[in-house]
Amino acid sequence: MIEVERLWKVFGPRAERVPGSPLAALPRAELRDRLGCLVAVRDVSFQVAANEVFVVMGLSGSGKSTLVRCLTRLIEPTAGEVRIDGEAVRAMSAKRLRELRRHRVAMVFQHFGLLPHRQVLDNVAYGLEIQGAGRAQRHARAAEVLELVGLTGHERQLPEQLSGGMQQRVGLARALATDPEVLLFDEPFSALDPLIRRDMQAEVRRLHAEVGKTMVFITHDLAEALTLGDRIAVLRDGELVQVGTPEELVGAPADDYVADFVRDVPRADVLTLRWITRDAAEGEELEDTPLPQDTVIRDAVARVLRADRPVPVVDGDVRVGVVDAEQLLPALLGHRRQVPA
Amino acid sequence: MTVTTAGRETGAAEDGAGHPGRWGAAGLRSGRTRIAVLVVVSVVALLSFRTTAAADSSDAAAFRFFDGVRDWVDANRDVNPLFLYGVNYIRLGVRLLVDAVSAGLTGLGFAGLVAVAGALALVVAGWRAGLLAVTGFVAFAVLGLWAESVETLALTLSAVLIAVVLGVPLGVLAARVRWVGAALRPVLDVMQILPTFAYLAPMTLLFLIGSPAAVIATLIYAVPVTIRITELGIAGVAPTAVEAATAQGATRLQLLTGVRLPMARPTLVLAVNQTVMMALSMAVVTALIDAPGLGQNIIRALERVNVGAAFDAGLAIVIMAVVLDRVTTAASRRRPHSWRVAVPVLGAAAVVAALPIGDAVPRFSFAAPVNALTGWVELHWYDVTEWLKNTVSAILLNPLETTLTTTPWWLFTVLVLVAGLLMADWRSALIAAASAAGVNGLGLWQHAMQTLATVLVATVLTMLIGVWAGVLCARHDRLAVLTRPLLDAAQTMPSFVYLLPAVALFGASRFTAIVAAVIFAVPPVVRLVERGVRDVPATVVEAALSAGSTPRQLLWKVQLPMARGGLLLAANQGIVMVLAMVVVGGLVGAGALGYDVVAGFSQREDFGRGLAAGFAIVLLGVLLDRLTQGFHRSTKGSRQ
Amino acid sequence: MKLRIIPMTAVLGLVLSGCGGATSDAGSAPSGESKGTVNLAINPWVGYEANAAVIEYLLEKELGYTVETKNLKEEIAWQGFETGEVDAIVENWGHPDLKKTYIEDKKVAVDAGPTGNTGVIGWYVPQWMVEQYPDITDGANLNKYADLFKTSESGAQGQLLDGDPSFVTNDAALVENLKLNYKVVYSGSEAALIKAAQQATAQKKPLLFYFYEPQWLFAKEKYARVKLPAYTEGCDADPKKVACDYPDYVLDKVVSKKFADTGGAAYEFVKNFTWTNDDQNLVSDYLTNQGMSAEQAAEKWASEHEATWKSWIPAGS
């Protein structure tokens, strides 16, 4: 669906000389001091499958917002390629690019980017309006998506009359109005209160369940990434450190940076049994009913602790190992590094 | 005149906000050393190179050159294609516009114009503004100045119309196309420090006298503000909204019309507001080149030293300024009524316009009481005012003037260069020094130095009063609330009007120009200082207070040092305004360059010198602006 | 409104037919024709205003014209002939250079005869000074008394107070060429001159000032003229080298060529206008000291001097 290949974005004078030259190997700080260039995205490659929610996570300054903007060339990449549905984005003419933005990819912004002089309805209909859709048609469609995001009744209000959460719902509706294949989210909820943020995350999950769509979601909030992401990419200083499922990230961080990141995550909530099984000892007596290996640890706690004997863990019909209280307790309490068996 | 050079001020204020004032002990020490060195070197140089201050020649090469230009223009005005197909058509077009606007306004008749003005104000700015407009317009008739007011309004509106038509697109371009912005910036800088007086003579040379020349002069005065504020507004549009629209596939044109312009609307209306205020004050001054309207009354009052008559006209101008200001300000804050309200209201106004209602309103004039008061003051304060005038002249003005006029031009230029290098950056220093040399090249060295002396004295007085009042206003909320409307009114008044009370009190002298300049320049200085002090972050003030600072320590050790950006900006603005006013003071005996300009457009044989004096004033303005603004900039740079 | 529309249509016509380019008088209101609007320049001294007040009053009341007055300095008023802004200047002080430019070279103005007033320009001191320093009226002694005239404006030199910068004056050249230890200070207006003169008399303060006749002030207080080297024909030919006193001026009227050609009765009337210095001083006095408006002053004078102005009215109107 979306393929990103060796993508670079360097800001500063004569940025194009950096990628592909010996300079590319230099660390960020040295490049800045020597050339006055800032490397925002460094040699990044990944693929996003259709209907997947792909989260890009990193601290501020890690280049994640630049990366997502490079996907539709809101920021022009310095080197590398982006393909959407197999079509090379960097080769697109201005017209073709506009078509892409109008029909196939929509974006939700951190600071909403609503037009303050337009009513909610007209904000949502803006994308259709610039495509040349008729007034009745675009208003009908806008009303439809407003209902989808739960804003029916607020059509005639101005953005400033709405709360932050509601404004972002307008942003969401605006992105949905043109029925794009891809939705890009640039830290959409980081400006919102925690409670509202949780609501909105649920909203995104619900929408994803209802309308499908491929989503690329930028965030600096690990909990958000874990909640939403099918897969998560961790970005540091413009470089991809690790791409994987939430489980993989928590269970097998690629380096200390990621490990540090995920240290406070309650692993029992994220990891499944397969991360903590041990082989059964010779002739050990086991419980009769096995547990599937993709059971989240916390869900297995009651069973395992109540059992008199270790519980077998299976992948389908094949037994992959057993768990007992000894295995459970570290996952529930400690921060010990876990390695799959 | 609410914000005379709004663009610059806002820009600099943003800069200031971006870098809260901080100056290390090192900066302070080196600053003091620099100034001490400069002072010592200057004194030694001045003592060793004094000249005899020989009067300017009355026949400098520059004067002859400009006389030649004048003669050529005179001879070719109806022959040369440049005039036949260019300049004269511009003049004709502007005249058509003015005639059309003025025909429209007078055609409505008294009742009609009052009704239409009220209705328009109501639709764009709400019922309060509507009421104000009606009251204001009726007041013109009550003062017996209806016809003159309408003429002034017509001139102002014509100039504003052209300014908006030219200025808004230019402002948009300047904000969107980098090289346009870069190319316009220095041009606008110079235009904004041009004293109104300086370019009246070139106007009459190209466009002769009358309304067209007046409108074009007004346009030149007002359009920089239109461009600057439009640029600010467009550049200030939230980038997220632009990005969001781009991400949705908007074209450049769609971005401009659907996002940038609508989002900049409040700022654009503010641009119109400022343009109107600038245009109004200039439209009054153009009475000097035969523009009709209230300016004529002021000039006549000046000629007769009739403060009372000028008071009525001045009051009419202030009323017009207040009405236009409030209506446009309110319009920038709210959205206009929809057509459902607009149509009936305008319809009602049209009906009133059609009704045969005369302008039979009761008349009232302030002339008699004001003249009585002035007479009393002249009689009873004579000794005080004479003493004040003579003391300031003897202690401040004359020594300074002697020092400046006895300084050889090259030494002055070198000193300016050194001062520029020490206090500002090399570029400002070079420009300032080149300006100084240019003044000498124009053959008006003595007069320029006399003007400079007057300007410097007036600036010192302005800053003393302005900073004192600004600090007071910043520290006493109630005082600030009380003075705000006063400052508003003072800033909407055209420079001209301030000459009158000064003349009445102090007769014709340089001191009169100083007094008028101080009155003219103090309000914006008070504003900037007050804002600078108030902008000091509350946390810093809190921290200083909790450390046990007395109010005085708080002021001297925290608030004033941190408001330094505002103070320097105030000095820059103050000096530019003072220069403009001192030059106008040529009308009332301040002599020097201002007199040369006045004589230039009133005496044929002095034309060349008048034009040269106009350029000299511009150069002097550039010099003062670069030195003060350069200082402002360089201190900012060193803080980063 | 109607008044404005007609010039506008005329202008439009001009624009449409104007393939030959626009000349400098394009678009100006055609003057003095059927509707009868006369554009009268008003120069900034009260004697001029007196002339203009009476002419305006009689043109409007007796001949039925509309008069538009325009406050203009002398030089600028002359420019108005070229642009069509001005139809008549009704008190002109000499100005041979302007006459050459606008009457002879450009042919946009014509002489409309004398006003009957004789103009005198000179340097004056208040009478009390003559009594105290009898030889002060001789210009040769001025340097001796320079200290008396020192002010804050003139510094170490004596002050010679001048009026409006636009007035006809050689004073700066005179001070230089006669080697006088004086500095010319411009008060900016006739009113400021008069105020200074009155103060000098009332408070016995020394004052040397530029002044002129006809002027109502001479009817109220005495001032003595300081004698400069006598005027001889042509001694003021080069304004930068003048070293002689001012000549006596035969004050006259100048009108635009267009007004002379199409002004009809109004032009005839302006041409016929002539009166004495006393007449002018009387009206000036009404204007300045009796607080009358131009119209009131003219009305009062006209009602008292019908015989004088009857002869100005052209036959048949």
Side-chain angles (χ1 to χ4, degrees):
Chain A
M1 181 69 209
I2 303 175
E3 295 158 84
V4 174
E5 208 175 288
R6 316 211 61 157
L7 193 72
W8 283 80
K9 176 62 199 182
V10 184
F11 291 105
R14 293 172 54 204
E16 61 288 346
R17 71 193 157 160
V18 178
S21 75
L23 290 169
L26 293 173
R28 218 184 197 194
E30 199 174 336
L31 268 174
R32 190 186 57 220
D33 292 343
R34 273 178 52 181
L35 304 172
C37 286
L38 180 77
V39 180
V41 175
R42 180 194 284 265
D43 205 15
V44 167
S45 305
F46 60 86
Q47 274 113 38
V48 183
N51 281 345
E52 186 183 12
V53 179
F54 186 83
V55 175
V56 179
M57 201 194 65
L59 299 176
S60 60
S62 63
K64 53 194 191 304
S65 287
T66 310
L67 175 61
V68 76
R69 280 168 174 73
C70 284
L71 298 184
T72 55
R73 283 169 59 193
L74 284 175
I75 290 175
E76 205 61 59
T78 312
E81 190 47 273
V82 176
R83 272 186 291 276
I84 295 181
D85 274 346
E87 189 181 357
V89 173
R90 290 193 70 201
M92 286 180 179
S93 66
K95 187 154 177 288
R96 184 80 191 127
L97 183 63
R98 216 148 49 221
E99 291 298 307
L100 175 82
R101 292 171 180 171
R102 284 182 175 183
H103 300 293
R104 293 161 60 194
V105 183
M107 190 158 167
V108 179
F109 296 88
Q110 179 179 10
H111 297 294
F112 323 142
L114 300 179
L115 302 177
H117 57 285
R118 288 169 156 248
Q119 296 169 351
V120 165
L121 191 68
D122 284 317
N123 258 295
V124 173
Y126 182 75
L128 295 163
E129 183 182 334
I130 58 176
Q131 293 170 22
R135 190 184 163 84
Q137 183 199 344
R138 63 179 195 250
H139 278 181
R141 171 66 187 156
E144 216 174 284
V145 285
L146 278 172
E147 192 184 348
L148 194 63
V149 299
L151 278 181
T152 307
H154 297 285
E155 293 90 346
R156 295 287 162 202
Q157 285 178 302
L158 289 173
E160 64 189 15
Q161 295 167 305
L162 301 179
S163 69
M166 283 157 93
Q167 291 194 29
Q168 195 55 296
R169 280 171 200 260
V170 178
L172 204 54
R174 179 179 58 185
L176 290 170
T178 53
D179 197 19
E181 302 151 33
V182 180
L183 281 174
L184 308 178
F185 295 84
D186 178 25
E187 299 202 40
F189 309 139
S190 60
L192 305 178
D193 295 336
L195 284 180
I196 315 262
R197 195 183 309 162
R198 204 155 21 150
D199 276 0
M200 293 298 294
Q201 288 161 357
E203 187 80 25
V204 169
R205 271 201 305 269
R206 180 177 69 80
L207 281 171
H208 188 245
E210 279 180 31
V211 298
K213 311 275 183 214
T214 307
M215 296 185 178
V216 177
F217 199 104
I218 308 292
T219 183
H220 63 254
D221 177 358
L222 182 68
E224 188 168 83
L226 294 172
T227 323
L228 294 175
D230 292 332
R231 279 192 302 146
I232 298 170
V234 180
L235 210 59
R236 178 199 190 183
D237 288 353
E239 268 178 300
L240 268 192
V241 183
Q242 186 174 8
V243 183
T245 61
E247 253 195 295
E248 283 166 348
L249 244 59
V250 176
D255 61 7
D256 290 349
Y257 180 72
V258 181
D260 219 22
F261 236 111
V262 298
R263 190 170 52 198
D264 294 332
V265 174
R267 26 203 72 231
D269 292 354
V270 178
L271 295 183
T272 54
L273 292 180
R274 83 184 155 95
W275 295 90
I276 54 168
T277 52
R278 62 169 170 83
D279 292 336
E282 270 319 299
E284 194 173 13
E285 283 200 42
L286 303 174
E287 287 288 306
D288 294 338
T289 328
L291 280 165
Q293 69 162 352
D294 54 357
T295 310
V296 175
I297 294 172
R298 187 171 299 286
D299 296 343
V301 172
R303 259 248 22 231
V304 173
L305 292 185
R306 229 180 283 130
D308 300 329
R309 291 166 289 189
V311 180
V313 176
V314 294
D315 179 12
D317 294 335
V318 185
R319 197 177 78 187
V320 292
V322 297
V323 285
D324 57 16
E326 287 290 307
Q327 269 71 44
L328 276 186
L329 284 177
L332 285 170
L333 303 172
H335 293 148
R336 188 165 60 83
R337 185 166 178 173
Q338 303 278 338
V339 187
Chain B
M1 302 290 304
T2 309
V3 185
T4 322
T5 46
R8 288 170 10 142
E9 189 181 309
T10 321
E14 275 167 5
D15 290 347
H19 316 279
R22 245 181 298 123
W23 52 348
L28 188 65
R29 205 159 46 232
S30 75
R32 278 190 189 156
T33 327
R34 286 168 175 191
I35 289 167
V37 168
L38 187 64
V39 167
V40 170
V41 170
S42 317
V43 169
V44 171
L46 285 178
L47 289 178
S48 38
F49 293 109
R50 299 194 75 163
T51 65
T52 50
D56 291 325
S57 152
S58 56
D59 194 31
F63 307 169
R64 283 201 304 275
F65 171 76
F66 288 124
D67 275 334
V69 171
R70 190 263 320 267
D71 291 342
W72 182 86
V73 171
D74 261 358
N76 290 282
R77 197 188 300 288
D78 289 336
V79 191
N80 190 293
L82 178 68
F83 282 91
L84 281 181
Y85 299 102
V87 175
N88 292 354
Y89 263 118
I90 296 177
R91 182 162 178 271
L92 188 60
V94 174
R95 175 184 286 278
L96 279 174
L97 177 72
V98 183
D99 283 351
V101 171
S102 133
L105 294 182
T106 42
L108 286 169
F110 169 69
L113 186 50
V114 171
V116 169
L120 273 178
L122 192 154
V123 170
V124 301
W127 65 270
R128 276 170 206 274
L131 202 64
L132 182 73
V134 168
T135 318
F137 275 60
V138 169
F140 298 150
V142 171
L143 287 168
L145 294 166
W146 176 254
E148 290 89 342
S149 302
V150 173
E151 305 246 42
T152 296
L153 189 63
L155 274 185
T156 308
L157 292 185
S158 306
V160 169
L161 207 65
I162 307 179
V164 168
V165 167
L166 294 180
V168 170
L170 273 177
V172 171
L173 275 181
R176 298 296 308 139
V177 185
R178 188 172 305 180
W179 68 264
V180 175
L184 273 177
R185 205 154 301 129
V187 177
L188 296 182
D189 275 348
V190 172
M191 279 170 90
Q192 288 197 309
I193 50 171
L194 272 185
T196 52
F197 240 47
Y199 53 94
L200 288 180
M203 281 298 113
T204 59
L205 181 64
L206 284 177
F207 301 104
L208 299 162
I209 55 170
S211 315
V215 168
I216 293 169
T218 309
L219 172 70
I220 295 177
Y221 186 66
V223 83
V225 167
T226 329
I227 300 177
R228 278 246 146 95
I229 302 186
T230 305
E231 181 182 353
L232 272 179
I234 295 291
V237 168
T240 53
V242 175
E243 192 174 38
T246 315
Q248 285 179 282
T251 61
R252 286 171 70 102
L253 189 66
Q254 283 170 334
L255 277 181
L256 184 67
T257 57
V259 180
R260 290 207 165 95
L261 285 177
M263 284 187 70
R265 198 192 81 100
T267 322
L268 293 184
V269 180
L270 181 72
V272 172
N273 164 273
Q274 291 295 304
T275 310
V276 168
M277 304 325 285
M278 299 284 285
L280 179 59
S281 69
M282 185 67 196
V284 174
V285 177
T286 55
L288 283 172
I289 52 172
D290 187 31
L294 292 166
Q296 294 279 0
N297 298 52
I298 304 254
I299 290 192
R300 194 184 286 218
L302 261 182
E303 273 156 5
R304 294 202 185 156
V305 196
N306 185 340
V307 182
F311 189 88
D312 281 348
L315 189 63
I317 293 166
V318 171
I319 290 173
M320 191 181 295
V322 169
V323 169
L324 293 174
D325 183 39
R326 290 300 130 83
V327 170
T328 44
T329 313
S332 79
R333 294 209 188 107
R334 59 192 295 291
R335 344 192 88 244
H337 282 294
S338 73
W339 56 271
R340 282 189 206 88
V341 182
V343 170
V345 169
L346 289 174
V351 171
V352 174
L355 291 176
I357 305 175
D359 59 347
V361 292
R363 294 290 157 87
F364 183 80
S365 165
F366 289 94
V370 170
N371 277 338
L373 179 70
T374 318
W376 185 87
V377 169
E378 273 172 33
L379 194 66
H380 291 86
W381 291 9
Y382 181 78
D383 290 332
V384 179
T385 53
E386 278 296 290
W387 175 84
L388 198 59
K389 172 167 88 178
N390 289 333
T391 313
V392 172
S393 299
I395 294 180
L396 282 174
L397 198 48
N398 289 344
L400 184 61
E401 190 174 303
T402 313
T403 313
L404 285 171
T405 49
T406 53
T407 308
W409 73 269
W410 55 265
L411 179 59
F412 181 83
T413 308
V414 170
L415 287 178
V416 165
L417 185 70
V418 174
L421 284 175
L422 287 183
M423 305 197 302
D425 52 282
W426 63 269
R427 194 207 281 241
S428 297
L430 275 187
I431 294 178
S435 304
V439 168
N440 184 60
L442 287 167
L444 285 162
W445 187 250
Q446 293 297 319
H447 279 183
M449 288 303 107
Q450 286 164 10
T451 300
L452 182 61
T454 315
V455 167
L456 290 179
V457 170
T459 307
V460 168
L461 295 178
T462 302
M463 288 307 290
L464 284 179
I465 298 173
V467 171
W468 172 73
V471 167
L472 273 188
C473 284
R475 306 178 86 194
H476 302 283
D477 287 338
R478 197 173 302 160
L479 186 67
V481 171
L482 283 178
T483 50
R484 198 158 299 142
L486 207 66
L487 293 179
D488 274 344
Q491 285 194 281
T492 42
M493 199 102 87
S495 55
F496 235 48
V497 177
Y498 292 112
L499 282 180
L500 268 139
V503 172
L505 283 178
F506 298 103
S509 68
R510 290 165 302 169
F511 187 68
T512 308
I514 291 179
V515 170
V518 170
I519 306 177
F520 181 55
V522 157
V525 170
V526 173
R527 279 249 152 98
L528 289 170
V529 171
E530 183 190 342
R531 201 169 70 189
V533 173
R534 279 184 187 273
D535 280 352
V536 171
T539 49
V540 178
V541 175
E542 247 173 17
L545 285 177
S546 68
S549 309
T550 63
R552 172 177 290 269
Q553 286 169 330
L554 182 68
L555 178 68
W556 286 102
K557 297 190 184 295
V558 178
Q559 287 173 319
L560 282 185
M562 288 189 69
R564 205 163 71 118
L567 292 181
L568 291 170
L569 183 65
N572 175 259
Q573 292 255 302
I575 209 165
V576 170
M577 291 183 74
V578 162
L579 175 66
M581 195 67 210
V582 164
V583 170
V584 177
L587 281 176
V588 292
L593 292 181
Y595 163 74
D596 291 331
V597 170
V598 182
F601 53 72
S602 43
Q603 296 274 20
R604 195 168 173 77
E605 71 253 23
D606 289 337
F607 181 87
R609 184 157 74 161
L611 210 51
F615 282 104
I617 291 164
V618 175
L619 290 178
L620 211 52
V622 172
L623 187 156
L624 293 170
D625 180 62
R626 280 304 105 175
L627 283 188
T628 47
Q629 223 190 18
F631 188 40
H632 179 53
R633 274 200 209 116
S634 89
T635 52
K636 236 168 35 210
S638 68
R639 267 188 271 144
Q640 279 170 345
Chain C
M1 177 110 186
K2 276 183 214 116
L3 292 180
R4 295 282 184 166
I5 284 175
I6 291 167
M8 277 189 52
T9 43
V11 167
L12 275 177
L14 229 156
V15 173
L16 295 175
S17 65
C19 305
T23 53
S24 54
D25 62 347
S28 65
S31 56
E33 41 155 297
S34 55
K35 296 180 319 312
T37 300
V38 179
N39 295 304
L40 214 51
I42 308 281
N43 289 169
W45 60 91
V46 67
Y48 187 108
E49 285 178 45
N51 287 26
V54 169
I55 290 175
E56 177 183 3
Y57 176 79
L58 292 172
L59 274 176
E60 289 194 332
K61 292 282 141 58
E62 295 297 321
L63 298 175
Y65 283 81
T66 310
V67 176
E68 297 247 344
T69 57
K70 302 182 169 205
N71 294 311
L72 296 171
K73 310 248 176 190
E74 293 162 85
E75 163 94 14
I76 295 176
W78 280 80
Q79 281 184 28
F81 290 140
E82 193 178 6
T83 62
E85 305 263 340
V86 171
D87 289 325
I89 291 173
V90 294
E91 181 179 299
N92 173 57
W93 288 65
H95 288 302
D97 55 333
L98 293 174
K99 282 184 173 168
K100 182 170 180 312
T101 307
Y102 290 98
I103 297 183
E104 288 172 31
D105 297 348
K106 299 198 167 198
K107 300 193 172 38
V108 291
V110 293
D111 194 326
T115 63
N117 299 130
T118 306
V120 176
I121 298 179
W123 295 358
Y124 294 82
V125 290
Q127 185 62 27
W128 70 263
M129 293 194 83
V130 182
E131 280 147 23
Q132 202 162 334
Y133 315 99
D135 60 348
I136 202 168
T137 54
D138 184 350
N141 296 325
L142 277 179
N143 275 344
K144 189 167 84 185
Y145 293 110
D147 277 357
L148 281 178
F149 298 106
K150 271 203 280 196
T151 68
S152 68
E153 294 306 294
S154 63
Q157 298 169 308
Q159 170 180 284
L160 167 59
L161 192 68
D162 262 44
D164 185 314
S166 71
F167 289 170
V168 172
T169 173
N170 300 328
D171 289 359
L174 278 172
V175 164
E176 194 181 333
N177 297 329
L178 295 174
K179 305 206 166 29
L180 298 175
N181 186 25
Y182 281 78
K183 180 173 173 185
V184 182
V185 172
Y186 290 86
S187 64
S189 66
E190 177 183 63
L193 270 182
I194 292 174
K195 189 172 261 180
Q198 287 174 324
Q199 265 168 3
T201 300
Q203 316 204 1
K204 293 217 164 189
K205 284 173 49 153
L207 178 73
L208 175 67
F209 65 112
Y210 165 101
F211 216 47
Y212 40 84
E213 292 176 73
Q215 225 302 335
W216 59 264
L217 184 63
F218 289 104
K220 308 257 164 189
E221 285 159 4
K222 273 200 80 175
Y223 296 90
R225 189 170 169 189
V226 175
K227 284 188 214 57
L228 299 176
Y231 175 83
T232 53
E233 187 70 32
C235 74
D236 58 355
D238 181 348
K240 307 224 155 82
K241 300 216 170 80
V242 181
C244 58
D245 210 342
Y246 292 89
D248 286 352
Y249 293 88
V250 175
L251 306 188
D252 56 0
K253 298 152 290 183
V254 186
V255 299
S256 73
K257 182 78 168 47
K258 201 159 45 174
F259 182 61
D261 293 344
T262 63
Y267 166 64
E268 291 298 322
F269 172 83
V270 169
K271 213 171 124 179
N272 293 341
F273 170 91
T274 162
W275 65 356
T276 64
N277 283 11
D278 288 342
D279 287 320
Q280 196 196 61
N281 283 341
L282 190 59
V283 179
S284 301
D285 186 46
Y286 292 161
L287 283 172
T288 319
N289 302 319
Q290 320 273 340
M292 291 189 201
S293 71
E295 189 179 346
Q296 290 164 336
E299 187 178 2
K300 184 164 160 64
W301 181 86
S303 67
E304 290 161 359
H305 299 78
E306 197 167 330
T308 317
W309 59 261
K310 270 293 177 204
S311 63
W312 305 340
I313 308 290
S317 62

